[in-house]
Amino acid sequence: MAHIAVGGFHHETNTFAPSTAIYDDFVTSDAWPGLCSGNDIFEKTQGINLPVAGFVQQAKNAGHELSGLVWCAAPPSGPVTTHAFENVMEQMLNGISKAGPIDGLFMDLHGAMVSENFADGDGEILKRVRGAIGPNIPLVVALDFHANISPQMCAQVDGIVVYQTYPHVDMFETGARAANILNQIIIDGKKRTVALAQGSFLVPLTWQSTLAEPAKGIYANLDGLKAPGIDAVSIAMGFPPADVFDCGPAAVVSGADEALVKETANKTIKLLTDLENDFAGTLYQPDDALRLAVKIFNGNGPVILADTQDNPGGGGDGDTTGLLKAMIKANVKNAAAGIFAEPMAVKKSIEAGIGQSFEMDFGSSKRFNGDTPLHATFKVLALGSGKFKAEGPFFAGAEIDLGPMALLETGHEAHKVKIAVSTKKQQAADRAMFKHLGIDPEKCSVLALKSSVHFRADFEKMAADILIVEAPGANTADPRKLDYKNIRPGIKHFPGN
Ligand SMILES: [Zn+2]
């Protein structure tokens, strides 16, 4: 039996997004628990599709004694404030000194954090943690599929495992894999190497899905590269809307055989770079998407429009109205959109009551890229507490809390659109978010979702078709449209020769 410390600090930073992540964003619960400290971490994350939960279960099964440090996550946005970063790190390091002598440490990180002071937020976290535990205690980290992995991160740790799915349905499993690796390092005591091989081009988020080629085949081949002397072989696809030096896809391999680890990292990244020209897809403008959706719809499941650029999971605020306006204009019956983060609309709905109407300037609080609020009359169809259990495989096990919610309807005659509105922002990646307000997503004709890819985990099977729409929002779908200043020279901003 060994004594292992467990911590986590998640943020995916879109450096082009207008909002920052403040300390309170880490403290507040949403789809995942709010900040938890000490051994509370184990109870509050238990059974949720999160690396920390998978790690804890596996490590406990192996008979280890665990000490919780601090675990927290905030919704993707612009940089983490210095106040939030320093506050969480102080708790992390205090936790380490309180835990006493440890035999190993596990960190559950995202891997694409930028703070106001540190472009490589995760590298700084790991540098400080390494400084606190000294050079000889094994440190293993789990990272998101969208990590922008830096050499600094690799230099501080003895093992890295990355989710292998997008939608991320294997977060729990990734944590369990990290537990097995840390367990092995503690047993054999051999020194580990972590090798990084970065890709030569950015992969847009909407084409990273492992449900489709080429990513599906690339990830299916990873296990074949494992060999004695290697603990883990991973590819992170990277998070493109981050203007940092190490942005983009990378292969990361860890193990005890230094030469083999390095060689395997170079082989692994070739799985991706060899298929550069296969990363391709279509982005539709809102009006074009609606015209096509009307043609496709035949009564068998909704046509889903992914409002990818305002995806709160990519740093959007979940309140732009570009696609919604196109839906109202189009001749579609029984259309719905969500989830809009519009606290003022929820407040007005509660004041007005079910069946009543009110007028307001709805959404677009930041007027991002020329987007403007929708001025209209809204009828309140339903109200909800915003507290419900997730049903789909992505948010699996989570007790979601989006704050008070409302279902609104706007438009006229045949052009009415239902809008699911919440108080807190959250990616529309679980059908329960709509069912909570009495909408059956299966029965909609056109369903607009503020999500890029995660929605596929719970919505793809019932969809007649899925169209990716380029409507206003901070999560720019085509990286060629972003003004990078800090990314490393030579990396292409788009796949294709
Ligand atoms: Zn991710």
Side-chain angles (χ1 to χ4, degrees):
M1 187 190 81
H3 180 205
I4 298 171
V6 176
F9 188 8
H10 273 248
H11 195 256
E12 180 181 67
T13 309
N14 175 337
T15 62
F16 300 95
S19 308
T20 54
I22 62 171
Y23 182 62
D24 202 43
D25 295 324
F26 289 94
V27 172
T28 311
S29 64
D30 42 38
W32 288 330
L35 182 139
C36 25
S37 307
N39 293 351
D40 244 17
I41 296 172
F42 312 143
E43 196 189 316
K44 290 202 171 132
T45 61
Q46 192 181 11
I48 302 179
N49 180 29
L50 281 171
V52 65
F55 181 91
V56 167
Q57 184 178 302
Q58 191 76 355
K60 279 187 175 168
N61 285 347
H64 297 310
E65 181 201 342
L66 305 182
S67 287
L69 305 171
V70 61
W71 184 94
C72 59
S77 67
V80 176
T81 63
T82 298
H83 170 258
F85 185 85
E86 295 300 338
N87 201 337
V88 174
M89 284 315 293
E90 193 183 323
Q91 296 175 50
M92 194 76 74
L93 299 186
N94 280 344
I96 290 172
S97 63
K98 259 199 264 169
I102 52 168
D103 305 298
L105 195 150
F106 169 68
M107 287 292 284
D108 176 10
L109 301 178
H110 182 285
M113 181 194 290
V114 180
S115 76
E116 286 170 336
N117 279 356
F118 300 102
D120 179 7
D122 299 277
E124 181 65 22
I125 294 168
L126 291 169
K127 190 174 111 187
R128 293 189 192 184
V129 167
R130 174 55 78 195
I133 63 175
N136 300 322
I137 303 294
L139 167 55
V140 171
V141 56
L143 297 177
D144 191 279
F145 181 94
H146 296 112
N148 289 322
I149 305 177
S150 69
Q152 153 97 320
M153 288 157 71
C154 297
Q156 307 298 339
V157 302
D158 302 281
I160 292 183
V161 276
V162 182
Y163 319 158
Q164 298 185 4
T165 59
Y166 184 29
H168 309 329
V169 294
D170 67 331
M171 293 188 266
F172 185 95
E173 199 186 312
T174 303
R177 286 197 289 142
N180 292 341
I181 290 168
L182 185 54
N183 189 48
Q184 185 55 41
I185 300 175
I186 291 170
I187 290 169
D188 69 35
K190 285 185 196 158
K191 193 181 148 7
R192 256 61 179 183
T193 305
V194 180
L196 181 69
Q198 291 175 316
S200 51
F201 55 91
L202 298 179
V203 183
L205 283 176
T206 50
W207 304 344
Q208 293 182 354
S209 173
T210 54
L211 297 173
E213 298 297 345
K216 190 177 177 183
I218 291 170
Y219 281 84
N221 280 326
L222 289 184
D223 274 349
L225 289 163
K226 273 195 75 178
I230 289 182
D231 296 328
V233 179
S234 303
I235 292 179
M237 279 284 182
F239 184 60
D243 185 16
V244 294
F245 192 84
D246 295 300
C247 182
V252 64
V253 178
S254 59
D257 185 334
E258 190 175 343
L260 186 63
V261 162
K262 285 184 179 158
E263 187 194 317
T264 305
N266 293 329
K267 259 193 212 163
T268 306
I269 196 64
K270 266 183 70 57
L271 292 178
L272 177 122
T273 50
D274 283 353
L275 296 178
E276 177 171 356
N277 290 316
D278 294 0
F279 287 98
T282 308
L283 290 174
Y284 292 92
Q285 293 308 302
D287 290 335
D288 297 339
L290 263 307
R291 265 193 293 276
L292 188 54
V294 169
K295 267 192 215 157
I296 295 169
F297 180 66
N298 62 3
N300 290 327
V303 178
I304 290 179
L305 308 181
D307 194 357
T308 178
Q309 298 205 122
D310 192 32
N311 168 15
D317 278 338
D319 74 345
T320 65
T321 61
L323 179 54
L324 177 61
K325 285 174 185 162
M327 291 172 81
I328 294 167
K329 226 170 41 181
N331 188 18
V332 285
K333 285 196 180 81
N334 200 21
I339 303 291
F340 278 81
E342 226 308 0
M344 187 51 74
V346 175
K347 195 164 166 269
K348 283 179 183 288
S349 302
I350 293 167
E351 281 164 12
I354 293 169
Q356 304 303 307
S357 296
F358 61 88
E359 209 177 309
M360 77 174 287
D361 283 332
F362 178 92
S364 199
S365 57
K366 300 271 166 44
R367 297 178 182 244
F368 196 81
N369 268 357
D371 192 63
T372 54
L374 167 67
H375 184 87
T377 300
F378 299 88
K379 185 176 177 189
V380 184
L381 299 183
L383 295 170
S385 64
K387 291 181 180 166
F388 50 92
K389 196 160 177 75
E391 292 174 4
F394 172 63
F395 284 126
E399 296 287 345
I400 294 182
D401 180 0
L402 300 184
M405 293 181 75
L407 179 65
L408 305 179
E409 187 174 62
T410 192
H412 30 156
E413 302 302 318
H415 304 248
K416 282 181 183 159
V417 177
K418 292 188 179 77
I419 312 166
V421 188
S422 63
T423 301
K424 300 178 201 170
K425 72 174 188 176
Q426 188 56 250
Q427 173 162 197
D430 199 294
R431 281 186 273 177
M433 293 175 176
F434 289 91
K435 288 181 184 169
H436 177 66
L437 293 170
I439 299 189
D440 210 345
E442 295 86 351
K443 292 186 181 146
C444 294
S445 59
V446 175
L447 180 63
L449 299 176
K450 290 194 180 284
S451 177
S452 297
V453 171
H454 283 316
F455 72 90
R456 289 179 186 269
D458 201 29
F459 290 85
E460 186 165 277
K461 279 200 188 108
M462 63 159 202
D465 206 346
I466 292 169
L467 308 176
I468 314 294
V469 187
E470 196 177 23
N475 181 33
T476 304
D478 182 345
R480 287 172 297 190
K481 296 182 180 171
L482 292 171
D483 183 18
Y484 292 98
K485 293 194 168 69
N486 304 306
I487 199 166
R488 62 191 176 281
I491 184 166
K492 288 197 276 179
H493 299 175
F494 206 72
N497 288 305

